[in-house]
């Protein structure tokens, strides 16, 4: 579908390591993180090489905890022309923090990233899309901390997150911050998650591509894709003590992800959130 190559889509990477993921919250504590082999820099460097090869630019939502330990990686991302944005500091869900804790977390991450790159950080994504009806105050906090936009909501029904009755298009909140929700495909009376992540890894590529193409026909809003560096790393250490459901979600098709990602880079044109959504922000 040639028109898909002519339309710019937003490519996003949540830069965290395999032990940070919410699926392992009950298995791994933050106090243990420094003890695990860290693979995020290696995996992110592979992504940078692939993006350069396919002339793709992206937004990297970098965890502050990672940035502190790998400032040179953040500089590499910035120097390659990608957008550096914030994933918070400690990968704590916004929904489990107080407003004061959230402000400290997002402000700390922003300051670290700006100190490393020397450039303003304007974008934020909450871990596990954890902004919803119970903590709408988070948007006010983000505005207070100096962010321009958030990409922290997913208008689907999901057992871990989801705001199915919230807007599906980018919109400016009353708090003054833009929210860029993850894209969904409206079909058969339902909202289907098609933004990447585990769904992209689990489903065959042809089906994901069909859903993306259908979305591009159906919606005038940009398409946004997201994933994590650990998803291209089949040799990462495994937490065998984790629940079966968590292991299934996390480990399935890790060995196929990089090849599927390459096909995605070849089939569509990719730019950063800041660039693709600029007509909204202006």
């Amino acid at each position: 579908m040639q028109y898909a190559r002519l339309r710019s889509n937003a490519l996003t990477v949540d830069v965290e390591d395999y032990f940070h993921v919410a699926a392992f919250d009950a298995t791994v504590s933050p106090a243990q993180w420094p003890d695990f082999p860290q693979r995020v820099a290696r995996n992110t460097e592979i992504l940078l090489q692939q993006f350069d090869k396919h002339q793709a630019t992206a937004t990297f939502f970098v965890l502050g905890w990672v940035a502190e330990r790998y400032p040179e990686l953040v500089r590499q991302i910035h120097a390659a022309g990608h957008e550096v944005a914030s994933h918070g500091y400690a990968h704590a869900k916004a929904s489990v923090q107080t407003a004061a804790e959230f402000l400290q977390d997002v402000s700390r991450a922003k300051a670290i990233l700006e100190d490393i790159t020397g450039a303003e950080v304007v974008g934020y994504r909450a871990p596990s899309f954890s902004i919803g009806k119970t903590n709408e105050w988070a948007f006010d906090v983000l505005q207070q901390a100096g962010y321009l936009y958030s990409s922290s909501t997913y208008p689907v029904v999901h057992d871990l997150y989801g705001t199915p009755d919230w807007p599906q298009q980018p919109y400016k909140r009353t708090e003054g911050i833009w929210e860029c929700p993850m894209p969904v495909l409206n079909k058969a009376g339902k909202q289907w998650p098609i933004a990447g992540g585990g769904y992209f890894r689990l489903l065959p590529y042809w089906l994901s591509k069909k859903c993306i193409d259908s979305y591009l026909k159906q919606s005038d809003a940009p398409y946004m894709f997201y994933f994590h560096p650990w998803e291209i790393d089949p040799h990462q250490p495994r937490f065998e003590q984790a629940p079966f459901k968590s292991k299934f979600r996390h480990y399935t098709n890790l060995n196929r992800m990089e090849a599927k990602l390459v096909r995605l880079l070849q089939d569509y044109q990719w730019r950063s959130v800041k660039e693709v959504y600029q007509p909204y922000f202006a």
Side-chain angles (χ1 to χ4, degrees):
M1 197 172 287
Q2 187 61 34
Y3 77 88
R5 282 293 305 171
L6 301 176
R7 181 170 168 179
S8 290
N9 308 286
L11 179 62
T12 67
V13 185
D14 292 357
V15 184
E16 60 194 57
D17 222 327
Y18 63 95
F19 48 80
H20 289 127
V21 299
F24 297 137
D25 279 353
T27 305
V28 178
S29 73
Q32 295 174 289
W33 290 352
D35 300 330
F36 297 120
Q38 295 179 26
R39 302 174 67 86
V40 65
R42 166 197 172 274
N43 293 331
T44 305
E45 287 169 359
I46 292 172
L47 296 178
L48 287 170
Q49 292 167 10
Q50 290 287 7
F51 293 175
D52 179 65
K53 181 178 179 181
H54 295 93
Q55 294 84 51
T57 52
T59 293
F60 287 76
F61 291 98
V62 184
L63 200 65
W65 190 94
V66 170
E68 273 189 336
R69 286 154 180 80
Y70 299 98
E72 187 55 39
L73 177 66
V74 179
R75 292 188 192 100
Q76 279 182 259
I77 293 169
H78 179 67
H82 303 289
E83 179 187 9
V84 174
S86 167
H87 200 32
Y89 179 81
H91 208 259
K93 295 176 184 175
S95 54
V96 301
Q97 298 182 72
T98 65
E101 290 169 340
F102 185 64
L103 176 60
Q104 182 180 31
D105 182 271
V106 300
S107 298
R108 183 181 183 185
K110 191 175 191 290
I112 290 169
L113 295 169
E114 290 178 343
D115 284 347
I116 292 171
T117 63
E120 185 181 15
V121 169
V122 299
Y124 170 79
R125 173 171 290 157
S128 301
F129 306 109
S130 52
I131 296 180
K133 290 182 178 180
T134 63
N135 62 337
E136 289 188 73
W137 50 258
F139 292 112
D140 187 58
V141 172
L142 290 172
Q143 197 277 334
Q144 181 183 344
Y147 290 94
L148 168 69
Y149 76 85
S150 160
S151 178
S152 302
T153 61
Y154 207 153
V156 293
V157 175
H158 190 280
D159 62 335
L160 300 178
Y161 54 78
T163 50
D165 55 348
W166 279 23
Q168 298 179 23
Q169 310 289 321
Y171 67 107
K172 192 171 187 179
R173 298 274 312 183
T174 57
E175 298 87 352
I177 190 167
W178 281 89
E179 173 60 26
C180 304
M182 305 310 292
V184 298
L185 182 64
N186 293 292
K187 193 165 185 176
K190 293 185 178 181
Q191 292 156 217
W192 300 90
I194 60 163
Y199 294 104
F200 181 79
R201 204 164 15 93
L202 293 168
L203 297 173
Y205 180 78
W206 67 264
L207 181 55
S208 293
K209 186 177 188 304
K210 183 177 181 180
C211 290
I212 295 171
D213 290 341
S214 295
Y215 174 88
L216 292 175
K217 286 183 176 180
Q218 182 184 100
S219 177
D220 292 329
Y223 173 75
M224 187 189 306
F225 182 86
Y226 88 100
F227 71 111
H228 312 82
W230 57 259
E231 291 189 88
I232 64 162
D233 184 8
H235 304 297
Q236 65 189 260
R238 303 205 169 204
F239 298 113
E240 298 300 342
Q241 71 274 33
F244 172 80
K245 187 176 183 180
S246 296
K247 290 190 291 185
F248 177 80
R249 283 176 167 174
H250 188 90
Y251 297 126
T252 300
N253 289 341
L254 291 178
N255 60 326
R256 299 181 181 179
M257 181 64 172
E258 187 173 356
K260 293 172 76 173
L261 178 64
V262 168
R263 294 184 66 182
L264 193 77
L265 295 174
Q266 292 171 338
D267 287 342
Y268 302 94
Q269 181 181 118
W270 299 101
R271 296 291 180 263
S272 68
V273 174
K274 192 175 180 181
E275 182 177 347
V276 172
Y277 287 78
Q278 183 56 42
Y280 294 93
F281 302 155

